[in-house]
Amino acid sequence: MLVVDDQVLISAGLAALISAAPGLEVVGQAANGHEAVALAASTRPDVILMDIRMPGLDGVRATERILAAASGTPPRILILTTFDLDEYVYAALRAGASGFLLKETPPQRLLAAIQTVAEGELLFAPTVTRRLIEAYTRGERDRAGVAPDLSPLTARELEVLRLVARGMTNAEIANNLVLSEATVKTHINRTMTKLNLCSRAQAVVAAYEAGLVTPACRPRSR
């Protein structure tokens, strides 16, 4: 794992916590986005804990550069932030980050989250991440941005992507569509390859921005 945070005490504390956990190893610590890009290239970590707001090169642009330069399987990038509804976090998810955590997250939950993204799952999909994506895709549509092209996908791949965007796990999708989990995973992998996506969270963003899933409407206040 690679730990990236511009506050030395936070970085050191995270590194110590992760190093003490069974099966996890910290391969480096970076104090800014430029160092993160360089260390990611030299150490090729499986997972990166990335602070979102840093001077110079922030976590969003560092995420973009790391994933663009990755050869083979790209690292899973887990964003660390102070605020859950944060446009920087949305931008990082759109760029390919696998999920995000608040900096106040308890240690055991942090370690569980690392395991979750390492396995390719979407972190906090049913609640906070989906709420964040819905909030900011509304803004993206208002600005009339270019929607992702989903035409390369088969009807079944579109169906699976729709359920992924609604926050379902592979097991729930398999049960809903009467498929095996292995088949669901194959459809998701093919979808990500066709759309040149790096993470499940990025696939959710694409589904919302393409209009495959409609953000939930908020009730009007009286």
Side-chain angles (χ1 to χ4, degrees):
M1 282 203 58
L2 175 61
V3 177
V4 185
D5 199 293
D6 63 338
Q7 297 183 53
V8 177
L9 288 178
I10 291 178
S11 180
L14 289 171
L17 172 67
I18 295 165
S19 296
L24 297 179
E25 178 187 3
V26 175
V27 297
Q29 296 179 58
N32 56 61
H34 292 292
E35 289 183 11
V37 173
L39 280 173
S42 62
T43 63
R44 302 188 64 176
D46 295 321
V47 178
I48 299 174
L49 279 182
M50 177 78 73
D51 187 16
I52 195 68
R53 295 176 183 251
M54 296 179 288
L57 190 69
D58 63 28
V60 176
R61 289 181 292 168
T63 294
E64 292 174 341
R65 294 187 187 184
I66 288 170
L67 294 178
S71 57
T73 302
R76 308 289 185 183
I77 299 179
L78 186 55
I79 297 298
L80 292 173
T81 182
T82 304
F83 308 103
D84 58 358
L85 286 182
D86 184 338
E87 62 182 302
Y88 284 85
V89 176
Y90 172 75
L93 294 176
R94 195 180 193 207
S98 295
F100 73 96
L101 285 172
L102 296 178
K103 288 190 175 182
E104 62 189 28
T105 300
Q108 290 307 311
R109 191 171 182 180
L110 171 67
L111 295 175
I114 291 171
Q115 185 63 39
T116 297
V117 297
E119 293 171 355
E121 293 292 336
L122 178 60
L123 191 63
F124 302 154
T127 54
V128 179
T129 298
R130 189 171 62 187
R131 179 161 53 93
L132 175 77
I133 290 171
E134 287 183 352
Y136 284 99
T137 48
R138 286 190 185 96
E140 289 296 315
R141 287 179 181 178
D142 291 343
R143 288 189 287 273
V146 178
D149 179 14
L150 304 185
S151 62
L153 304 184
T154 66
R156 178 63 89 181
E157 288 164 353
L158 285 169
E159 195 171 17
V160 171
L161 177 58
R162 184 182 291 109
L163 296 180
V164 168
R166 288 177 177 168
M168 289 190 181
T169 64
N170 287 0
E172 290 169 338
I173 295 171
N175 183 64
N176 186 281
L177 299 180
V178 194
L179 300 171
S180 70
E181 286 189 52
T183 299
V184 170
K185 187 173 182 179
T186 296
H187 284 310
I188 293 172
N189 288 341
R190 286 176 178 170
T191 294
M192 293 174 63
T193 298
K194 288 180 179 181
L195 301 182
N196 194 29
L197 304 175
C198 298
S199 74
R200 196 179 179 106
Q202 195 177 25
V204 174
V205 172
Y208 274 97
E209 293 188 339
L212 185 64
V213 180
T214 303
C217 294
R218 296 177 180 176
R220 294 180 180 178
S221 57
R222 294 182 182 271

